[in-house]
Amino acid sequence: MRKTTKRHIRDSKGAAERFHFWVNRVKYPVLPLVLFISLVLFGVCPGFASDTMLMFVGEDLEILSLASRREEAAWNAPAIAHVITWETIDNAGDATIADLLEKTPGFYVNEREQGSVPYLRGIPDSALFLFDTVSMGSGANKSYHNIDNEVFLTSVKRIEIVRGAGSVLWGPDAFAGVVNVVPFTGADFQGVETGVGGSSLDESRSAFVKYGVDKGRWSSFVSVSARSVQEDDDTYNVVKFWNDGGTAAPELERMGSDTLDDSQYYEVYSSISFDRWLTLSARVSDANKVYTVSDGTGDYTWKEERSNPTRTFKVEASKSTGIDSGIRFTGYYTDYDLDLDIIDKAFDQSEQSLYGELIYDQSLFTGDGLLTTGVSWRENKFSDTLVWKSFMPNYLEENESNWLPIFETKDYENRLGSVFGQYRHRFSSLELWAGVRSDDHDQFEDKVSYSLGAAWSFSPGLLLKTIYGTAYRTPFASQVSQDDDIALEHINSTNVQLAWMPGKETKVSLTLFRNEIDNHVVEDRYEGVGLSSPNSQTIDGAELEWDFKLTDRLSFAGNVTVLNNSGSDETYLYSWYDVGDDPVYTILNYDYDAGAETMANLSLNWRVTDHITVVPELRYFSSTQFHYFNETGPSDIETITIQCPEVWLMDFHLKIKDIFPFSLDFFVENLWDEQYSVPGMYSVIQGQSFNAGVLIKMRW
C-alpha cells in the first residue's frame, strides 16, 4: 500500500493570525514606519525615476538588478556578473536551476541524495539563492537549496548571478555570491502557453500552463506547474527503526524490502502590476522528494522523504521623487516548512520571515553619480529545527540494536535592522564605487560589510574591473544550539576581471579571484558527525569564459574554472555516548572540501534553419573526495578516503518550432551513458546515467 504523504498546508485564518503575531512582536518600529511612509509617498502619484536613473544601462540585452538593486547591463555592473537569459534557458533545454548552474563559471554542483549541493568558487553552501529577491532556501539548514525540481523554469525570465561577496546590498548569507531567479511579468509575456513533458531515466512527467496579459495601465502573469519524478529505483531494506521512540525496533523487525513512491512537485506563481509603480505577487509551492540513503558499506539502505511547503506573499512599489531621484519599497512574508521523514519517524520544522525595505536613489552631478541608500528590517522565527548529535548509520549495526540516534530540536528567533548605501561615480572612462552596510542583530553579533571597486574602459570594447568586498554568514542551527558566543563566518573577496566585447555578440573575460575565509565551519557534513571546529581557508582561482558568434547561424560558448585551496583541515569532535557517563570525544581530521577544483563547459548553438536549433554541450569536472569513518571498537575510528574520478559528460538538445502548431524540445543527458561516482551523504553514490526526454509546448 502506498503511504499517504503528510502535508502541512495551513488555512488562511492561521496565516492571518501568524501575520498579526509577527507585527506585534516587532522589536523596533521600523516596519510600521516603512509601511506608513510608503503608503504616503506612493499614494501621491505613480511612476518611477527618470531615464537618467538608468545612466549605466547601455544596450546590452543581459540585464541584471543584483549589483545596484536596479536594472542595468551586466557588462557595466559594479560586480562580476553573469546572466542566464531566457533564450539560453530555452535553447539549453535544462529542467532545473542546478542544471544551469553547473554550466556556469565558478560553480560545481554535487548530486546528493537529498538534493544538489552547489559549490561556488570552492565553497559549499555559500551562495544566497533568491526567487524575485526573496530567499528561497532554509536559513537554519543551509544545505537545503531548492534548486532541483522544487523551482520550475516555466515562470523564469532570467537568472542573475553575482560572484563575490554581496552582503553590502543583500545582507547576511550573500557570502560567496548571489543568485536571483527573475520571474516573468505580464509585460514580458502575453497570451497562453501550455506544455507537457517526460523523460526516460526518472520516469518524469510534467505539465504547465502560463498566462500573461498587458493592458497598459496594468499587467498580470500566472504560471501553474506540476511534476512527478522517480528519484531513484533502488529498493531499501531498513523498513522499521524508531519504534516507540525510546528504544530501537528489534533487529528482526527492522529488515525487509520495499520500493519508493514517486516524488511530487508543484508550483503556482502569480503577479499583478498597476501603472508601473505597484506590484503584488505570490508564490505557493510544495516539493515532496522521496529518495534512498545507504551507509558507507552498503549493507543498510533506507528511505527518506523531504516535504517543503512554501508560501510567499510580496509587495513592491516605486515612485519618482524628482527628475533624477526615486524611492522603492519591498515587503514580503514567507512561511517555509521543512518536514523530514527518516524510515518511520517524522521531524517537522518550520521557518517564518517578515521583511520590509525602503531604498532611495539619487542621481548626482548631472548624471555622473548615483547614490543608493536604504534601510531594512527582518524578523525570522525558527521552530523545531533539527540538530543531529550522533552518526545515524552506526545505530543500524547489530551492536547498537537497542539504541536510537541522539538529536535535539531548537527554537530561536532573530531580528535584524540594517542601514546600507552605495555610491557610484563616472569620470570619463573610469567608474569608481564604494558601499557599506551595518547589520544590527538582536541575537548574533553585529556586523559591518563594505565593498570598493573600479571599472576602467581603457579602450573601446575593453574593460578592467577590480573589486574588493566583505561578507558574513549567519550561523547554522547547530551553532545556535551550543548556546555559546558565536563568531560569525567572514569572507574577504578580491576580484580582478579583464573583459573584451568587440560587438554585442562576442565576449571574452578572464577573472582572477581570492577568497579569504575566517571562522569557517561546516554543519553535519555527514549528518551527525557534528559541527566542525572554526578554521581559516584561502581559495585562489581563475575563471575564463567566452561567447563567439562564428557565423549568422553558429555560435560557440564555454568557460573554464580552476581553483586552489590552502588552509587547515576540517576538524570534528565526534562524540561517543555511554549510558550514565559523560560523552567521550574522538578527533576527526578531513581535507577541506572544495568540491571539484577544475570545471569546464563547451557548447555550440547551431541554428540549422529558422525552425530547427541544435545545441550539443560537453561538461567536465575534476576528481572529488569522499571521507568515511568506521567505528572499529570502543573509542576507535578508522577513517577511509575515497577518490571519485574526473568526469566527462555530453548533453544534446534539439529544438523544433514553427513547423507544427506546437514546438518540440528533445534532450539527451549523459549521451555516452558514462558511469561515474560522486560523494553522497554517507557513501559514494552513482551520478546520473543516460536520460532522454521531450517537452511539447503550444502557444494559444
Side-chain angles (χ1 to χ4, degrees), residues 325-342:
S325 62
I327 191 167
R328 289 170 282 156
F329 169 74
T330 300
Y332 63 78
Y333 170 77
T334 297
D335 191 350
Y336 179 101
D337 290 347
L338 183 59
D339 305 328
L340 181 64
D341 287 3
I342 301 179

Side-chain angles (χ1 to χ4, degrees), residues 56 68 72 76 78 368-370 422-425 431-433:
F56 302 125
S68 294
E72 62 186 326
N76 293 318
D368 287 333
L370 176 61
Q422 178 176 272
Y423 180 69
R424 303 169 62 180
H425 198 95
E431 184 182 352
L432 303 176
W433 63 86

Side-chain angles (χ1 to χ4, degrees), residues 447-515:
K447 279 292 185 179
V448 175
S449 306
Y450 57 91
S451 63
L452 301 168
W456 179 29
S457 300
F458 58 90
S459 178
L462 278 173
L463 182 65
L464 177 65
K465 290 183 184 179
T466 59
I467 304 171
Y468 176 78
T470 67
Y472 70 97
R473 180 153 51 180
T474 54
F476 296 95
S478 55
Q479 289 177 276
V480 179
S481 71
Q482 292 179 345
D483 294 325
D484 295 326
D485 292 335
I486 302 171
L488 299 183
E489 192 173 358
H490 180 268
I491 189 171
N492 297 318
S493 176
T494 304
N495 299 267
V496 179
Q497 183 183 73
L498 178 63
W500 177 53
M501 187 168 65
K504 290 196 297 183
E505 296 175 328
T506 297
K507 286 190 300 183
V508 182
S509 68
L510 174 64
T511 304
L512 305 179
F513 64 85
R514 164 169 281 198
N515 291 324

Side-chain angles (χ1 to χ4, degrees), residues 263-275:
S263 299
Q264 307 290 338
Y265 304 88
Y266 78 81
E267 176 187 77
V268 179
Y269 173 76
S270 177
S271 68
I272 183 168
S273 300
F274 302 94
D275 281 339

